[in-house]
Amino acid sequence: MSFIEYGDTIKDGDTAIVFLGHESMFPVKVQHGSVTQTKYGVIRHSTDLIGKKYGSKVTCSKGGWVFILHPTPELWTMNLPHRTQILYSTDISIITMMLELKPGSIVCESGTGSGSLSHALIRTVAPTGHLYTVEFHQQRAEKAREEFREHGVEHLVTVTNQDVCKNGFGVSSIADAVFLDIPSPWEAIGHAKAALKVEGGRICSFSPCIEQVQRTCLAMEEHGFTEINTLEILLRVYNVRTISLQIPDLGKVSEDNSSIGFDSSNPSNQGSPCTNPQQGTVQFKSAVPLREMVGHTGYLTFATKS
C-alpha cells in the first residue's frame, strides 16, 4: 500500500480509512488477527478486511456497515493523529499551486509537525521528486519517519531532526521551493535562500500572526527576494436546501387586463402571484451558506528568489 499509488486489495500492514459517514471516519492499521471497534460493532481484520477490495462495504458484528477506503493525502489530513496544529486542504491547495510544484520538484519543508502538508507535497512531486523535511522535535521527527515508511513513501522523503534556524535544511542550491511553518520564519530566510536553486526558486511562509508576517517580509527583502505577497484563504461552504418564501401582496390585478396585455387564459400567467394572492408561500431550491464557517487559520507569504 502506498499513499501515491492506488492498490485494489487490502493487505496485512496497510493503513486504511474506515468510513462511517462524511463527518465520521478514522484510520486503522490492518493487522492479521486484530479487531476494530465501531458503533456498528466489531470489524475483524482477518476475515472482514484482508483480501477485500478498497471501497468495499463491510458489515460489522451488530449488523451495521461501513466502507473501507484507500488512504489519500486529503483523507489523511482529515483523520491523522494530531501531534501539532496542522494545515488543511484549503491552505494546502494554494501552497502547492503558488510554489509551482510538479512531478520531479525538489522541496524543503520545516517543520514536519503531524505530516499533513508533507503527504500532499510528496504526492505532488512523485515519482521523481524529493521532499527534505526538517523537524526540531526529536520524537515528532521519529514518528514522521515511521509514518512515511508505513505509507510507502520513505524513498521520496528525507526527515532531519535539527533546528532549521541554526543549521538550515542540510542541502544547498537544489530546491525548487521552500516552505516554512515555524514560530520565527524570519530567522530561517537565509537558510532557505541557500537551499533554493540559483535563480527562480519559490518560498512560502505560514504564520498565524500578522506581526510574524511583517518581520518575515522584511527579512525576505533584505535577502533579495522579489514578488513578495501575502494571502489569507477562507473557505465558505454552501448547502443546497429547500427554501420557503412568503409571496408578497402586490394588490388586486387591474380589471382592465387587456390594457396591459394580461391574458388570464394564457398558461404562462396561471402561476403568477397576482392571479392567486391567497397561495401564501412558494418553495424553491437554493444554495445557503452555513451558519458557522472556519475562520482565520494563518497568513501565507510567497516570494521568488531573484
Side-chain angles (χ1 to χ4, degrees), residues 24-36:
S24 180
M25 62 184 92
F26 59 89
V28 61
K29 184 175 181 179
V30 179
Q31 292 179 314
H32 185 78
S34 296
V35 297
T36 297

Side-chain angles (χ1 to χ4, degrees), residues 19-95:
F19 180 90
L20 292 82
H22 289 290
E23 302 298 328
S24 180
M25 62 184 92
F26 59 89
V28 61
K29 184 175 181 179
V30 179
Q31 292 179 314
H32 185 78
S34 296
V35 297
T36 297
Q37 294 283 351
T38 74
K39 63 181 180 181
Y40 301 126
V42 172
I43 301 174
R44 294 175 175 82
H45 294 197
S46 300
T47 56
D48 297 333
L49 298 183
I50 297 176
K52 300 292 181 64
K53 288 189 174 182
Y54 279 106
S56 296
K57 184 178 179 179
V58 174
T59 302
C60 304
S61 61
K62 292 182 181 180
W65 49 267
V66 298
F67 287 106
I68 307 300
L69 305 181
H70 192 284
T72 65
E74 291 81 8
L75 288 174
W76 186 246
T77 291
M78 297 170 63
N79 296 282
L80 58 78
H82 285 224
R83 301 183 288 271
T84 58
Q85 290 290 335
I86 69 169
L87 291 178
Y88 290 92
S89 298
T90 306
D91 290 313
I92 292 173
S93 59
I94 197 71
I95 290 169

Side-chain angles (χ1 to χ4, degrees), residues 63-294:
W65 49 267
V66 298
F67 287 106
I68 307 300
L69 305 181
H70 192 284
T72 65
E74 291 81 8
L75 288 174
W76 186 246
T77 291
M78 297 170 63
N79 296 282
L80 58 78
H82 285 224
R83 301 183 288 271
T84 58
Q85 290 290 335
I86 69 169
L87 291 178
Y88 290 92
S89 298
T90 306
D91 290 313
I92 292 173
S93 59
I94 197 71
I95 290 169
T96 55
M97 184 189 75
M98 294 293 286
L99 289 182
E100 303 173 2
L101 301 183
K102 59 186 180 299
S105 295
I106 306 297
V107 186
C108 292
E109 175 198 28
S110 184
T112 312
S114 301
S116 174
L117 176 64
S118 303
H119 282 79
L121 295 177
I122 291 170
R123 187 196 40 195
T124 303
V125 304
T128 56
H130 201 83
L131 171 66
Y132 294 89
T133 182
V134 178
E135 172 56 50
F136 175 78
H137 193 276
Q138 182 179 358
Q139 291 180 331
R140 287 201 293 262
E142 293 174 353
K143 185 62 178 178
R145 288 194 192 98
E146 179 184 342
E147 287 180 347
F148 293 142
R149 183 171 57 254
E150 291 178 352
H151 298 164
V153 297
E154 72 276 9
H155 61 292
L156 296 170
V157 56
T158 299
V159 182
T160 305
N161 173 220
Q162 64 186 30
D163 185 351
V164 71
C165 296
K166 295 181 179 178
N167 306 114
F169 294 93
V171 296
S172 178
S173 303
I174 65 170
D176 297 290
V178 170
F179 176 79
L180 298 174
D181 183 5
I182 54 178
S184 52
W186 55 90
E187 295 180 0
I189 298 299
H191 294 296
K193 182 178 180 180
L196 285 168
K197 58 187 181 182
V198 175
E199 185 178 1
R202 295 280 286 166
I203 184 174
C204 174
S205 174
F206 177 90
S207 297
C209 301
I210 195 65
E211 291 81 5
Q212 294 170 300
V213 174
Q214 292 169 337
R215 295 189 65 175
T216 302
C217 289
L218 290 174
M220 288 179 175
E221 287 184 343
E222 291 174 359
H223 285 87
F225 283 89
T226 59
E227 299 178 338
I228 302 172
N229 63 89
T230 299
L231 311 176
E232 181 183 23
I233 311 300
L234 300 178
L235 177 66
R236 191 176 189 186
V237 179
Y238 282 76
N239 283 342
V240 177
R241 297 181 179 176
T242 300
I243 304 298
S244 297
L245 289 181
Q246 186 174 5
I247 296 174
D249 183 3
L250 303 178
K252 294 183 179 180
V253 180
S254 172
E255 295 181 0
D256 186 9
N257 290 331
S258 60
S259 64
I260 59 175
F262 184 88
D263 183 3
S264 60
S265 64
N266 189 336
S268 64
N269 291 326
Q270 295 300 316
S272 172
C274 295
T275 63
N276 186 10
Q278 304 297 325
Q279 67 187 62
T281 61
V282 61
Q283 292 186 335
F284 58 93
K285 296 287 186 180
S286 179
V288 180
L290 301 180
R291 294 182 180 273
E292 296 181 356
M293 62 174 281
V294 176

